[in-house]
Amino acid sequence: MHAVASRDETAFKRLYDRTSAKLFAVVRRIAISEAAAEEALQEAWVRIWNHADRFDPALASPITWMTTIARHAAIDAVRKGPERASATAVVLDEELADKLPAPGSTTDGLTGPQLRRCLEGLEPDRRGMVLLAYSYGYSREELSRRFDKPVATVKTILRRSLIALKECLGGR
């Protein structure tokens, strides 16, 4: 990341080659169409290039930092456009997104059935909030209106639900 921050195009290309599939998978889970995902991913790479100097290894790993940027770019694209979100999205938070495998790669033990079982363990309203927030890109304000709860309550419910999911998944 230091080399990318120094505007080293070769380092940027290496970073792109190593992580583009994973970032595309993150973006594709949020955007409905492949075209929208590609546009959001391009925006994410521009942001990564322009803000690499802001990366702080004490706060996150490079892939977690880039995944967060890609996820935000995808959510921004969805909110701007007519799309709402992909019905197949399963991203729960940046930490879990960091552990999701790129398409075609082997998994580290985190499987769809495990995640589904853990999600089913949540109360229906909580599960709905988690899925709408982290799979469909709903903001806390949108969830607040939809579930008729204060924004602070929505934030607390999401936080507690993610902690429960993390515990269910064995702390991963």
Side-chain angles (χ1 to χ4, degrees):
M1 288 307 294
H2 181 70
V4 174
S6 300
R7 301 297 211 201
D8 181 335
E9 291 180 19
T10 304
F12 186 72
K13 183 181 179 336
R14 274 196 319 270
L15 182 67
Y16 178 87
D17 290 343
R18 291 180 181 167
T19 61
S20 61
K22 181 173 188 106
L23 294 183
F24 184 73
V26 169
V27 170
R28 188 65 179 98
R29 287 181 182 102
I30 297 169
I32 285 177
S33 71
E34 190 161 330
E38 289 171 356
E39 186 175 322
L41 185 61
Q42 181 177 355
E43 174 60 27
W45 282 110
V46 169
R47 291 178 189 179
I48 291 167
W49 175 256
N50 288 332
H51 302 293
D53 60 330
R54 295 182 186 170
F55 170 71
D56 183 352
L59 298 177
S61 69
I63 192 65
T64 299
W65 182 76
M66 292 186 305
T67 298
T68 301
I69 290 172
R71 183 175 175 277
H72 286 264
I75 290 169
D76 290 348
V78 167
R79 287 184 179 154
K80 286 179 195 171
E83 296 188 354
R84 193 59 189 130
S86 169
T88 60
V90 190
V91 176
L92 294 178
D93 68 1
E94 287 82 12
E95 185 176 336
L96 285 178
D98 184 33
K99 294 181 188 277
L100 290 174
S105 67
T106 60
T107 64
D108 66 350
L110 178 59
T111 64
Q114 284 177 300
L115 183 57
R116 191 171 298 112
R117 179 183 53 77
C118 291
L119 282 167
E120 288 170 358
L122 296 175
E123 295 173 20
D125 278 356
R126 289 175 180 248
R127 180 175 53 246
M129 276 191 198
V130 168
L131 291 173
L132 288 173
Y134 296 99
S135 296
Y136 296 95
Y138 277 58
S139 68
R140 291 180 187 137
E141 291 77 16
E142 289 172 314
L143 292 171
S144 171
R145 287 189 298 275
R146 183 174 180 125
F147 288 88
D148 194 30
K149 298 198 181 295
V151 174
T153 301
V154 168
K155 182 178 178 180
T156 300
I157 289 170
L158 289 173
R159 183 177 178 282
R160 289 180 180 166
S161 297
L162 291 175
I163 290 169
L165 286 171
K166 185 174 182 176
E167 288 173 2
C168 179
L169 292 168
R172 291 191 280 167

